[in-house]
Each structure stands twice: as structure tokens, then as C-alpha cells.
Amino acid sequence: MLVEDDENLAARLTRGLQQAGFVVEHASDGPDGYEMGLDASYDAIILDLGLPGEDGLSVLSKWRTGGLSTPILILTARGTWAEKVEGLNLGADDYLTKPFHLPELTARLNALLRRGAGAATALLSHNGLTLNPSTGEVHLDGALVELTALEFRMLRYLMHRPRHVVSQSELTEHLYSLDDMRGSNTIEVYISRLRRKIGADRIKTVRGLGYRFG
């Protein structure tokens, strides 16, 4: 989720993050951002501090006080070092100073996701299958596997959660934005395509519950 009141910046960041393989939902002020953070499960939150309605530090404090554990990266204006310190003390996981380059933002987001999944390196690997979040490449026993953007996102999500059961609704929530069309059988179709490309035994169906990678 991106909480940013500058509409032009939010639009540029949304396009860039989508091109990097992220699903992005946007809130343009503090109250909306706070409510969205409570109502949905996000892998990470990008939070601007200078928000209308309610400032970012207040939103951050309320989230953490309420038990929200989602990784949060705060955006700050150049020179506001005191806000950076306060944000980190309130529970932010990282910060980025404006202006910044999009590749740095995506790299920091990927690092937050790795830490959240307990991984120390950028590469996700399992039994000859390797996924590189930075390059968007997947290799199986050294050979490049051609995946669509959605197949890549699905595999990345599953590989971040090895041996955990992931439900269809959880996959849908993390692969599509609120405005996307979500067909009832879309997840099954893409799971089937992934199995054909990486091996059927890597993604197991747990009847009545969902899917388990590894």
C-alpha cells in the first residue's frame, strides 16, 4: 500500500512499482491510509509523513499501538532527520528521503519482504528452482523459465512462504488490486500453468485449504 498525497508522485510510483511486479493500492490522506491499513493485509506499506487529515507519524503510531506488524517504509522530506528518528522509534522498518530513485525504493521494499520472510539473500531458491526478485528471472536447474508477470508474482509469493498453506483468497488479495477483475477460477488456472513450467510436485494442493510450496 502507498500512502502519498502528491497525486503526480503517487501515479509515478504506482506505475513504476507495478512494472517491478508489485500490486499497489493507494491512499491519498492520513485517515484513509489508516483505515486501509487495518482493513486489508499488505506485504508492505510506503507511508509519506506529510499527509493531510492526519500526519504520517500519527498514523504510524496508531498502527503499531494497535498491533499492526506489516513492514513500513516512511518517506520524508530532505533535512527532516528528527522525523526519521521519531519514525524509526515509533516502529518504522526503513526510511527514504525525497527525492529518491525508484530502483532504490524497489530494492528497499524487496529487502523488507526478505526480512519478513526470514530470508537473508535476495535470491529465493528451492531444490534447483531459483527466483531473482531484482531481475525478474526464474531458473530451473540452470535453465531460464519464461513466466508471465502474474505467474512470477504468484511464484514469488509462494516461495516467500515455503511449507506454509496459502489460501486462494490470500493469493487473490496479494496478486490483484481492488480495481482488477478477479475471475473465480483464475488462481487455479495460474497454479496449473506454474506446475507445468516448474514441476507439478513443487506446488501441492491442500484440499479445502489452499496450496503449499515446497
Side-chain angles (χ1 to χ4, degrees):
M1 178 172 69
L2 170 65
V3 190
E4 168 61 61
D5 65 309
D6 185 324
E7 294 295 335
N8 290 330
L9 176 59
R12 292 198 302 273
L13 290 180
T14 297
R15 287 194 301 270
L17 291 170
Q18 287 173 339
Q19 291 172 359
F22 292 93
V23 175
V24 183
E25 292 176 3
H26 173 231
S28 58
D29 60 41
D32 283 350
Y34 173 72
E35 292 297 331
M36 286 177 64
L38 296 180
D39 291 343
S41 175
Y42 296 98
D43 293 317
I45 296 173
I46 303 170
L47 176 66
D48 183 35
L49 295 186
L51 296 171
E54 186 172 10
D55 66 87
L57 287 176
S58 174
V59 172
L60 171 62
S61 178
K62 288 166 60 177
W63 275 337
R64 292 306 193 220
T65 301
L68 183 72
S69 60
T70 305
I72 296 174
L73 184 153
I74 57 175
L75 301 180
T76 69
R78 183 177 298 277
T80 56
W81 65 268
E83 284 190 334
K84 300 173 190 174
V85 173
E86 187 175 0
L88 292 171
N89 286 336
L90 286 173
D93 299 273
D94 198 0
Y95 70 86
L96 198 55
T97 301
K98 297 178 180 179
F100 54 84
H101 296 289
L102 184 63
E104 182 179 4
L105 176 61
T106 57
R108 288 177 179 270
L109 284 178
N110 281 322
L112 289 181
L113 296 179
R114 289 200 304 273
R115 291 203 294 271
T121 63
L123 294 179
L124 300 174
S125 300
H126 181 270
N127 196 23
L129 181 70
T130 302
L131 182 148
N132 189 326
S134 300
T135 64
E137 293 183 340
V138 174
H139 290 84
L140 178 59
D141 295 329
L144 182 66
V145 180
E146 296 289 344
L147 298 181
T148 66
L150 196 144
E151 289 168 351
F152 179 85
R153 294 203 304 269
M154 178 179 284
L155 180 60
R156 179 178 62 185
Y157 190 80
L158 291 170
M159 290 185 73
H160 268 302
R161 293 152 183 83
R163 297 178 295 280
H164 285 72
V165 176
V166 178
S167 68
Q168 277 196 23
S169 61
E170 184 179 347
L171 276 173
T172 300
E173 186 175 281
H174 286 80
L175 293 175
Y176 297 95
S177 68
L178 291 172
D179 297 328
D180 286 335
M181 297 296 292
R182 310 178 185 191
S184 60
N185 67 337
T186 302
I187 296 299
E188 293 97 323
V189 169
Y190 279 98
I191 288 288
S192 177
R193 291 180 181 176
L194 271 179
R195 283 171 169 159
R196 289 198 297 270
K197 293 181 178 182
I198 67 172
D201 60 332
R202 296 180 184 274
I203 304 175
K204 298 177 177 63
T205 298
V206 181
R207 193 172 300 277
L209 296 177
Y211 305 99
R212 183 176 61 232
F213 177 85

